Amino acid sequence: MMQNPTTLATLLGILSALSVQALEPLKESTDAFAELQARRAIERSDRDGDGKIQKAEDEGRWKRMARYDKNKDEALDLDELKAMPVVHLDSPGKKLRDVIFKRTEQGPVFLDFYFPDDDGRSDKPLVIYTHGGGWAAGSKSGAGMNSFKVVHRELLKKGFCVLSVDYRLATDGVTMRDCVVDSMDALRFASAHRKELGIDPERVFTFGDSAGGHLAQMVLLAPPERFEGDAELAKFPFKTAAGVSWYGPCDFRDPDLFNGSTRFHGRIVGGKSKSDDDNERFSEVSPIVYLRKESPPLLMLQGDKDTTIPVKQAYQMQEALKDIKAPVEIVIVKNAGHNWRPVDGEVTPNREQIIERTIKFLVENQ
């Protein structure tokens, strides 16, 4: 008997939609993430559009990656870039790396999950790390680099789990709001697998730097129901307990808070031309809008010489606290530029003290 083609197409569409919304398993997909990283590198550095990174196109990147040029043609193709190792947090506990937690129009979205050194509890607190990079660069690998790996290793020693999310980057129609949604969906995914992971989704902590500091504030303060993404993951709740933001902005509504710059606005509105609803979009991704007396505790650290995310952002939060007596602690780091770079003097408190204060704040708010 002949099938009705319209009915069959409809059925296939339904099955496809169901497969997209199905809960992803706790499964490592390192090859898939390696390809994503390789394609991102090509997008950033391939200026002539030939699908390769030529030595002449990006000298700085080439110096770091030249050893992967296996055929010595002074160009890196997709296969050569895929062979580059993926950076993860080096820790003694169990790990689940390069896990796909949902699928989107732009492709799969990944996370890394690290278990404590001593993994004997079934109700472990969970810290989500959101990386920096202006919402348009960076990756979950940041959790295993520089000062962040120091923070995360200490938290793992103290019984926390660490989740590093590789949210979609704000390019090609992806917006800052999508970065927030992905970060929350990563926590919903962890909540869905709470028994296998042995976590307590009611004790979620946030930590991030720069753009990731903004996302750490958003995940901490904003109501999750306002930022639902994957329909299947929306069924699984989480609750935040405390968070730490390193030089992350809290308010996009006033360009003066960025010294008149509007360079991040395209990442909020998706590159669209100015429209009447822009102010609403700026407000939606401004953590300060969601500040309440009953908000979870936030530690906000900001450098007074930061030209990327000006210290005005921290002062704006201080002003808000005059009317809203929320549990926010603000630390102005003297002589610090972005990434705690020293500017015109010694950084005070220094990097080691900042790391120590970050860990202490999260531990004390368990």
Side-chain angles (χ1 to χ4, degrees):
M1 188 170 83
M2 280 187 69
Q3 300 261 3
N4 183 321
T6 303
T7 304
L8 180 58
T10 301
L11 177 61
L12 291 173
I14 293 172
L15 291 174
S16 176
L18 288 173
S19 66
V20 170
Q21 294 179 2
L23 183 65
E24 296 290 333
L26 285 171
K27 177 185 176 183
E28 294 188 339
S29 300
T30 299
D31 288 346
F33 184 71
E35 180 165 347
L36 173 65
Q37 288 289 78
R39 293 190 182 281
R40 283 178 176 174
I42 291 173
E43 287 174 6
R44 286 193 298 268
S45 302
D46 177 21
R47 295 172 186 165
D48 62 9
D50 67 349
K52 300 179 182 180
I53 300 177
Q54 309 283 346
K55 179 180 179 181
E57 288 177 320
D58 195 332
E59 290 278 358
R61 184 179 293 275
W62 183 264
K63 290 177 182 178
R64 301 191 299 272
M65 303 190 305
R67 63 183 181 277
Y68 300 104
D69 180 18
K70 299 302 181 184
N71 60 6
K72 305 302 179 185
D73 64 348
E74 295 194 340
L76 293 168
D77 61 22
L78 182 63
D79 288 336
E80 288 171 322
L81 289 165
K82 283 165 60 176
M84 293 176 58
V86 175
V87 176
H88 298 103
L89 176 61
D90 183 18
S91 62
K94 188 172 69 171
K95 307 168 184 66
L96 283 167
R97 297 166 293 191
D98 311 316
V99 175
I100 296 173
F101 68 89
K102 72 173 184 179
R103 299 177 190 272
T104 70
E105 292 180 7
Q106 293 80 22
V109 193
F110 297 82
L111 60 78
D112 292 334
F113 197 93
Y114 301 93
F115 293 81
D117 298 7
D118 181 10
D119 187 18
R121 294 174 55 183
S122 60
D123 61 345
K124 299 179 285 290
L126 173 64
V127 176
I128 180 172
Y129 169 71
T130 43
H131 66 81
W135 303 272
S139 78
K140 62 182 177 59
S141 294
M145 299 178 181
N146 307 317
S147 299
F148 311 111
K149 68 181 177 183
V150 180
V151 172
H152 293 136
R153 282 174 174 171
E154 286 302 311
L155 290 173
L156 290 170
K157 289 178 183 178
K158 295 182 182 298
F160 287 79
C161 292
V162 172
L163 186 163
S164 184
V165 58
D166 202 76
Y167 54 85
R168 284 171 291 167
L169 301 179
T171 58
D172 298 328
V174 175
T175 66
M176 203 178 289
R177 186 184 195 280
D178 296 318
C179 301
V180 178
V181 167
D182 289 351
S183 300
M184 290 190 175
D185 270 353
L187 290 171
R188 295 178 180 115
F189 177 82
S191 177
H193 291 285
R194 57 191 175 276
K195 290 185 179 179
E196 303 100 304
L197 298 172
I199 63 160
D200 179 0
E202 297 283 305
R203 286 197 301 155
V204 169
F205 299 78
T206 70
F207 170 50
D209 69 302
S210 195
H214 160 259
L215 295 174
Q217 294 177 59
M218 284 295 296
V219 173
L220 180 73
L221 301 175
E225 60 272 15
R226 183 163 179 172
F227 294 90
E228 289 186 357
D230 183 274
E232 178 64 24
L233 293 177
K235 304 173 186 177
F236 303 100
F238 65 88
K239 185 176 180 180
T240 53
V244 179
S245 168
W246 285 8
Y247 40 86
C250 67
D251 197 341
F252 292 95
R253 297 171 298 174
D254 182 359
D256 184 59
L257 297 174
F258 291 91
N259 294 331
S261 172
T262 59
R263 60 179 172 154
F264 297 131
H265 283 184
R267 297 168 196 180
I268 297 173
V269 301
K272 299 177 182 178
S273 59
K274 186 173 178 60
S275 63
D276 293 338
D277 63 350
D278 281 359
N279 289 337
E280 183 178 339
R281 296 183 187 212
F282 301 152
S283 179
E284 184 183 38
V285 294
S286 294
I288 199 168
V289 169
Y290 305 103
L291 193 66
R292 301 289 184 271
K293 182 179 180 180
E294 61 275 13
S295 293
L298 168 67
L299 173 61
M300 186 177 184
L301 300 104
Q302 177 65 49
D304 67 349
K305 304 290 178 66
D306 195 331
T307 57
T308 303
I309 307 296
V311 71
K312 290 178 181 180
Q313 291 283 331
Y315 295 150
Q316 179 79 342
M317 182 66 81
Q318 285 180 338
E319 282 298 311
L321 293 174
K322 293 178 180 178
D323 296 323
I324 305 171
K325 306 302 180 184
V328 179
E329 179 182 346
I330 298 174
V331 176
I332 306 299
V333 183
K334 296 180 180 179
N335 301 319
H338 210 57
N339 300 315
W340 306 137
R341 294 191 184 97
V343 179
D344 300 330
E346 184 178 347
V347 174
T348 308
N350 62 33
R351 186 178 293 266
E352 289 72 24
Q353 291 168 329
I354 290 169
I355 290 172
E356 182 181 353
R357 183 70 192 97
T358 297
I359 296 165
K360 183 179 179 182
F361 184 84
L362 295 174
V363 171
E364 288 179 343
N365 282 287
Q366 287 190 81

